[in-house]
Amino acid sequence: MANNIIGVCMGHFHDTVHAKILKNISTKAKNSGFRLQIYASYEDIYVLDESDYGDIRVYEDIDMSAFCAVIIFSETIKKQNIIDKVIEKATEANIPAISLEREEKGCYCVLFDHGDAFEDIVRHVIEHHKVKRVDLIAGMRDNDFSETRIQVYRDILTENGIEVDENRIKYGNFWKMPALEAAKELLEYDIPEAIICANDAMAVPVCQYVESLGYKVPEDIIITGYDGLDSALFNIPSITTAGPIYKNLAEACLEMITSIILGSYPSWEEAKPVAVTNTLIKGQSCGCMKPTLEYYSKRIAELSSRLEDQFTHSHNMFRMVNKACTKGFTVEEIMRSMPFYMHPMLKCKFMYLCAYDNYMDLGENNPGDETDCTILFEYMEGENFYPMKRIKSKDILPDFDSLLRTDCAIIVLPIHYKGDILGYMCVGHDPNEIEYVQLRSVGLNINNIFGNTNTQRELRTINEKLEHMYNRDALTNLFNRRGFYDELAKYKLTNKRKNYLVASIDLNGLKYINDNYGHAEGDYAIVAIAKLIEGFDEADRIVARIGGDEYVMFVASDTPKEKLEKLVEDYLIEGMERINERSGKKYEITGSYGLAVDAMKNIDRFEEVLKLADDIMYIHKRKRYLR
């Protein structure tokens, strides 16, 4: 493996902020001679529900020996034990791990200096806009980010001679609904001149809520946020906020990795976190930016374009899932139904879909075996391939070294269903061209397609079991009466034989065996006769146990009638003799039988032929008991 690969572990890769960070890191890495291999989960692994168990497998199968370093988006993976395992793997592989946005034991750290930028916002509102009645909607209670911002707010108010009124501080938990409740309580207490929100996710709905009450922003109430999200910049009015300079973060990461590799950087125990400063972004919600027709036209055009792209994408995803789930009956058919809707919209360089053996019905899912994975679909240089090629799952991709020489990053996403990992999707791409939101949608819909396939497979298995239960005799596994007639009806539609024979067979002395030797021995005798008649394979045949000691056998053959009858009779006589020679039982296992033959063109007279065979069988049975 090449030693210029930087591994990346992250959840919620489609999130706007994290996607921007990833794109900037990728650009800087590319310019510095590195390539990214990204292992991403669809969710942030917060509650560890059934779906999350499939998601986290993407981190468990990483081969850290392929990397020169690993970057962990620690704030995007909520379960600490998963981060700890990734760090442990990196330590075992003797490569540096860099944690973003949060300090982690065993890691170097690059984070945002939120304090300075939030201080800039508060100072801007109080010192530049000269307001005194300033409310704060913080995040979660006892959260470090939240409590730090509350303290900054208190300090700047005190510094500017404004009394800190605790009634003007509410917790909004960093998201919409609690923030709206907090805004309602603040407005009921007193109408402020400004509401400072601890993030944009609260500022946007609070702005909309304030305006719905008839207040104008910023004329009546100034609203500010934090994070620099697109939702804040696209809001009307645009929200004054603060956001990271993503380029600076990427440069800090790559400079750190380069220095560590060159041996000119201290150990993680000695190294201090590198802080990247956020910057104030002035918007319309504080009055610093004046709305213009040009501004609104540009924003509307951008939003319209995004909505159109999203509509097209959603439509294609619906068609892809619908076609795959209704037209695909084999794995290859399903794969062939998907590419038209899949990779063109992603603008990817190459794509692979690989399935573990548990999805392909080739055995247990056991990553690490010599060949335990199958390449179902490959997109390369504008062409689609369906190789169905077996590879080692730990290799991730065939011809991996040559793919790494392509000018792109690689993202690995899990394919899972009900907590089971079924496979993975690898996409080679330029992070500045791909839409990660659409990539996530493609991945989740592929999960649904794989899941639907598994569901259909499970349903077929259940139906087969039900059919077996309804059509088969539990003791002998022969058809029961219902199963016999179902199979006979199918055969009538396809038969090409000249003649057919019906054998009515009755086990002799079953009650005697049960009464004198026990029901287990009676069952033995029943099964012995069943195996005998089932073993006749000279021609097409259907065999059934239609009662406690009664059997029927249908045989279709091109053999002449008389010869066919003798062939079956000789088989039954010799077979019963063999049973008794080999059984070693104290009782004899025999059966009375009646045979009747007719031309296949007269198959509609089957019931008459069966009755004739029954009559002959009972004649033989009576003769046996009269001896």
Side-chain angles (χ1 to χ4, degrees), residues 473-512:
D473 172 59
L475 178 61
T476 64
N477 202 37
L478 299 182
F479 285 112
N480 56 24
R481 184 183 296 273
R482 172 178 172 170
F484 177 81
Y485 279 99
D486 283 349
E487 287 299 304
L488 184 64
K490 294 176 188 176
Y491 191 82
K492 285 180 180 180
L493 298 175
T494 60
N495 79 83
K496 295 180 181 179
R497 300 291 187 176
K498 291 181 180 179
N499 302 310
Y500 73 93
L501 174 146
V502 179
S504 176
I505 304 166
D506 196 280
L507 172 63
N508 294 324
L510 177 60
K511 185 176 186 305
Y512 170 81

Side-chain angles (χ1 to χ4, degrees), residues 322-388:
N322 183 61
K323 188 172 182 181
C325 292
T326 58
K327 302 295 184 183
F329 299 99
T330 67
V331 171
E332 187 168 349
E333 286 175 336
I334 291 169
M335 291 301 106
R336 288 183 180 276
S337 71
M338 293 163 56
F340 176 76
Y341 308 102
M342 193 163 52
H343 57 73
M345 72 186 77
L346 294 177
K347 300 177 182 177
C348 59
K349 308 295 183 182
F350 64 81
M351 176 184 287
Y352 286 85
L353 285 180
C354 303
Y356 289 129
D357 287 351
N358 63 331
Y359 177 74
M360 297 297 293
D361 275 348
L362 295 175
E364 292 298 319
N365 174 19
N366 186 21
D369 288 352
E370 280 304 301
T371 54
D372 60 357
C373 210
T374 302
I375 303 173
L376 305 181
F377 166 71
E378 173 185 336
Y379 168 74
M380 180 67 67
E381 297 178 352
E383 293 189 54
N384 301 324
F385 304 95
Y386 309 91
M388 298 297 163

Side-chain angles (χ1 to χ4, degrees), residues 591-614:
S592 299
Y593 56 86
L595 308 178
V597 184
D598 201 350
M600 188 62 75
K601 64 182 180 180
N602 299 324
I603 187 68
D604 291 336
R605 290 170 36 186
F606 173 81
E607 292 298 333
E608 296 176 31
V609 178
L610 174 61
K611 185 177 185 306
L612 177 59
D614 276 340

